Amino acid sequence: MFRIFSFSGCYRPLLRVSLAAVLISPLAGGVALANQQLMTEVDARAANEVSYANFQQWLQAFRRHAASEGISEATLSEALDGVRYRARVIELDSFQPEFVRPIWEYLDTAVSSTRINTGREKFADHRDTAMQMQQRYGVPAEIIVSIWGIESNYGSNFGDFSTLEALATLAYDGRRRDFARGELLAALRIIDQGDIAAEQMKGSWAGAMGHTQFIPSSFEAYAVDGDGDGRRDIWGSIPDVMASTANYLARAGWQTGQPWGVEVSLPEGFDYAQTERRSSAEWQRQGIQALQGEFPNFDSAAVVIPAGANGPAFLVGPNFRAILRYNNATSYALAVATLGDAIAGRGGIEQSWPRDQAALTRDDVQELQQRLNRVGYAVGGADGVMGPNTRQGLRNFQRDQGLIPDGFATQELLEQLRSRSE
């Protein structure tokens, strides 16, 4: 099996040795002490030069591997000659926001009045194409347009990074190198097949491309030639963009004729710890009611309470799960669903969000995880991310304390844990 070695570890000692030689000389030592800022700048420039040299050696090894995988020499030259290490990509890959963004703040931006109005305009401009894809794939036209809006703001912001440079940098120096290496190879196959020229393959720093923000492996699996020109062009062809989006959702299990879900009211005494799926009939027997329109008929549905018992509640079915296949975040799926509703002229979320709740920082979440572990509610590693294990551990803690077990982390709950685990 082909192995690609990281050269960065080989060269950093050489850099340290060379800098040490400078620092121990009498003259240079005095200069360093007198002008530490200058030495820091020299150190940074030297590190960048060494990093770039190592990257080029790594790239040559990867190029040999790509050739062994059948990528043509013409494509390798077109795609990899002149590819640069992009330090900005690594900065973005390493960035972790201080605060965990509340879902209502995300939705305020993702489903803003501007995005709704633009979505309606784009729907009107491309109605025939959107309806054609709805007919072909069974995915509602407003959902196709909605994903376009959420992913790239209707094509106005799909990124200007070279996908090849971004993925090469991540494969060499990122947090998920093996994953990025596989995506870089997929990108080369896309170019080799003639779907897009190397210089036109643009997208985000993370390698997500074009209007749909497909990563290369998703492009290979789901991209469709919607306009019949023989190429799958998610950068410049709106028919290809819409066909590819609809195909993705159809393959993810979209059920034609069903809604994504509905906003619901929950009865007094509802057990918020229920995370399993049930039929609509079973949920109705518990007293759940739709706030708008008819109660959907799902064979398998879940109650979602993204802001806990004090926020809106939703009954979601298979189509919500299909959206999650595009991006596995409840906030994302809810944004796509509600933006689609708004584009189609349906009403928005009626219940209020708990906007008075102070946001937790990543450090707060990490502390909450550590304290849950300490008092016997095993949640796994303390990574500062509110994943399913953390929510379940928090529900168990809430239930034992006689609280509503909704799994929603707050500053108040963190204070209770502090008092328990001191």
Side-chain angles (χ1 to χ4, degrees), residues 30-187:
V31 171
L33 292 173
N35 197 341
Q36 188 172 1
Q37 181 179 0
L38 175 61
M39 290 305 297
T40 300
E41 293 172 356
V42 170
D43 186 10
R45 286 198 299 272
N48 285 338
E49 290 172 3
V50 171
S51 178
Y52 181 76
N54 293 345
F55 173 72
Q56 290 302 314
Q57 291 191 34
W58 175 89
L59 191 61
Q60 289 305 311
F62 178 82
R63 183 170 181 154
R64 291 191 294 271
H65 169 57
S68 74
E69 291 291 315
I71 305 299
S72 70
E73 184 57 39
T75 292
L76 291 173
S77 296
E78 176 192 356
L80 299 182
D81 286 356
V83 162
R84 301 166 296 164
Y85 176 88
R86 297 292 298 271
R88 178 60 178 158
V89 169
I90 299 304
E91 290 175 11
L92 292 167
D93 186 46
S94 303
F95 173 73
Q96 292 185 330
E98 179 183 359
F99 287 92
V100 179
R101 191 180 188 187
I103 186 171
W104 51 89
E105 290 186 5
Y106 170 74
L107 292 175
D108 286 346
T109 301
V111 195
S112 66
S113 58
T114 298
R115 184 161 288 170
I116 292 168
N117 291 333
T118 303
R120 289 171 177 167
E121 292 171 3
K122 294 294 184 181
F123 193 0
D125 291 343
H126 302 283
R127 178 177 294 275
D128 289 347
T129 299
M131 296 306 296
Q132 178 186 1
M133 300 314 164
Q134 174 177 305
Q135 181 68 26
R136 183 183 302 177
Y137 295 99
V139 178
E142 66 267 21
I143 291 292
I144 297 170
V145 175
S146 176
I147 285 187
W148 184 23
I150 299 294
E151 288 294 335
S152 64
N153 200 19
Y154 310 106
S156 67
N157 184 26
F158 57 71
D160 59 0
F161 283 91
S162 160
T163 299
L164 297 163
E165 290 189 338
L167 289 173
T169 300
L170 291 169
Y172 168 70
D173 206 19
R175 291 179 296 118
R176 302 170 64 196
R177 299 181 189 186
D178 289 343
F179 173 78
R181 192 157 55 239
E183 293 301 319
L184 179 57
L185 187 61

Side-chain angles (χ1 to χ4, degrees), residues 185-241:
L185 187 61
L188 292 176
R189 288 195 294 265
I190 293 166
I191 295 167
D192 210 32
Q193 292 164 5
D195 284 306
I196 191 73
E199 68 271 12
Q200 295 174 324
M201 185 178 268
K202 301 287 187 180
S204 75
W205 65 266
M209 308 182 300
H211 291 259
T212 60
Q213 291 291 278
F214 280 0
I215 58 175
S217 59
S218 293
F219 180 99
E220 288 189 302
Y222 304 110
V224 173
D225 174 16
D227 57 17
D229 69 350
R231 297 186 303 116
R232 298 171 295 174
D233 180 7
I234 60 171
W235 296 267
S237 167
I238 299 305
D240 290 9
V241 168

Side-chain angles (χ1 to χ4, degrees), residues 321-339:
R321 295 197 294 275
I323 299 171
L324 286 171
R325 287 280 301 277
Y326 210 108
N327 183 319
N328 192 28
T330 297
S331 55
Y332 173 88
L334 195 57
V336 168
T338 55
L339 179 58

